[in-house]
Amino acid sequence: VEYQPTATETKTLERASFDRHLDYDWRRASFSSLSPEHPIGSAVETTEQPVRDDESDLDVEPEEEPQPTDSALPMADLPRGARFGTLVHHVFEEVPFDAPDLETAIREALAPELQYATWEFDTDALVTGLVAAMETPLGPEPDAPRLCDLDPRHVFDELTFEMPVRTDAGTVSLRDIGTVMLDHLPAADPYRAYADTLIDLSKTRFRGYLTGAIDLTAVVPWPDGDRYVVMDYKSNALPARGDVLTALDYGPAPLAAAMIGGNYVLQATIYQVALHRYLQWRLRGYDPHQHLGGSMYLFVRGMAGPDAPVVDGERCGVARWQPPPAMIEDLSHLFAGGRHD
């Protein structure tokens, strides 16, 4: 008998319909994708890039080798650009600041990087400059701690974070962040002007996660007790105001301009909120007014060593900023879904 398959009911094929709502406000972003040059809502979801973007748009890798100068800064004539910045970051991550011989430790950290990549610069100048940076006081006082003085037990490299931003309670904008900053920053704060730029941005909204990697988080001795400080290494080459580049070209005013122009103020703000969140969960008896020490952005080309000059109460090469702890608390509350009227 010939086999006959069982008859089945013929069904009409239909296209599936997509009726879910797409949340265009949700993204995972780093400070760079939230900067004013990248309006929220159109920025690509991102994390901290593997190659550091420490240089401003105007400070790019030159087509020709920089011409030698008579500058007293060892790193004045070294290459520019993100690739060189990544090399500098590598050294700071690999070298223990308390090494008995910093010069030897730096050369050992550089050796594999120079062996497997093509570089054309004065290695001795880089080593000398990095030693000077690690031996530059981080404050204006003669006895201010240096990187090489920090307790290695209280130094944390590349502290990464994933910080939720109102994932269940609406959205936030850069304008909201700027409003909180203006509510707390005094008129004399060098970065209050940056908060004004955030206020003028569009009302494009954002929620999701902020992600980042803090170059260095360290416990720094303070007159009234130890404080936690976020630090970031910057290899930017700032312009010389005279015929020769000097440490004075990395004084408070040029550094403030670089911090604002590179959107590092936003980066420092987000990093301090992330540190605040971390300490809330990890430090017994945590009090932001007692334990938060703000940020220090280390412009290593201008850190001239133990005798680095002090201008207007600040050490050249070190951009210190300690916003009111209440500002960090309010931003954390904002990110957690709280309202700010």
Side-chain angles (χ1 to χ4, degrees), residues 61-303:
E61 188 79 33
E63 295 182 0
E64 299 180 357
E65 290 296 320
Q67 296 300 313
T69 68
D70 295 326
S71 173
L73 298 178
M75 298 178 65
D77 300 326
L78 295 183
R80 306 177 182 184
R83 181 168 175 256
F84 181 76
T86 302
L87 177 66
V88 170
H89 276 82
H90 169 78
V91 174
F92 277 102
E93 292 168 17
E94 293 295 322
V95 173
F97 297 138
D98 63 337
D101 186 344
L102 279 175
E103 179 177 340
T104 298
I106 291 172
R107 290 187 184 277
E108 291 176 351
L110 281 172
E113 302 300 314
L114 301 180
Q115 180 179 0
Y116 297 111
T118 302
W119 291 98
E120 293 184 3
F121 62 81
D122 185 347
T123 304
D124 291 338
L126 176 58
V127 173
T128 300
L130 294 179
V131 170
M134 295 178 188
E135 294 182 344
T136 297
L138 300 175
E141 304 82 8
D143 59 347
R146 307 164 296 172
L147 289 177
C148 60
D149 297 325
L150 299 179
D151 187 338
R153 298 170 300 174
H154 299 151
V155 172
F156 311 96
D157 288 311
E158 293 295 319
L159 186 63
T160 59
F161 62 87
E162 294 275 350
M163 183 165 54
V165 179
R166 305 188 72 167
T167 53
D168 298 321
T171 56
V172 69
S173 70
L174 287 181
R175 181 175 292 187
D176 296 330
I177 296 174
T179 299
V180 175
M181 294 174 69
L182 288 177
D183 284 347
H184 293 281
L185 294 178
D189 190 284
Y191 304 131
R192 185 178 172 88
Y194 183 82
D196 283 327
T197 65
L198 299 183
I199 294 295
D200 294 335
L201 296 177
S202 66
K203 296 183 179 180
T204 308
R205 314 299 298 180
F206 159 77
R207 65 164 156 238
Y209 286 87
L210 283 175
T211 182
I214 304 172
D215 284 351
L216 186 70
T217 306
V219 178
V220 179
W222 228 256
D224 58 349
D226 294 344
R227 292 180 181 264
Y228 290 78
V229 178
V230 298
M231 300 187 190
D232 203 88
Y233 312 119
K234 297 301 180 188
S235 58
N236 303 53
L238 302 188
R241 294 175 295 176
D243 296 332
V244 178
L245 186 70
T246 71
L248 297 178
D249 294 309
Y250 289 81
L255 290 189
M259 289 287 291
I260 292 173
N263 293 305
Y264 302 146
V265 181
L266 179 62
Q267 182 186 36
T269 300
I270 293 173
Y271 284 5
Q272 290 181 65
V273 175
L275 176 62
H276 166 68
R277 292 273 189 91
Y278 180 85
L279 294 177
Q280 276 185 315
W281 291 100
R282 296 298 185 96
L283 184 62
R284 180 176 297 178
Y286 169 66
D287 179 356
H289 296 267
Q290 176 184 349
H291 295 109
L292 287 183
S295 62
M296 294 182 184
Y297 273 49
L298 309 180
F299 288 75
V300 296
R301 291 180 190 259
M303 299 176 71

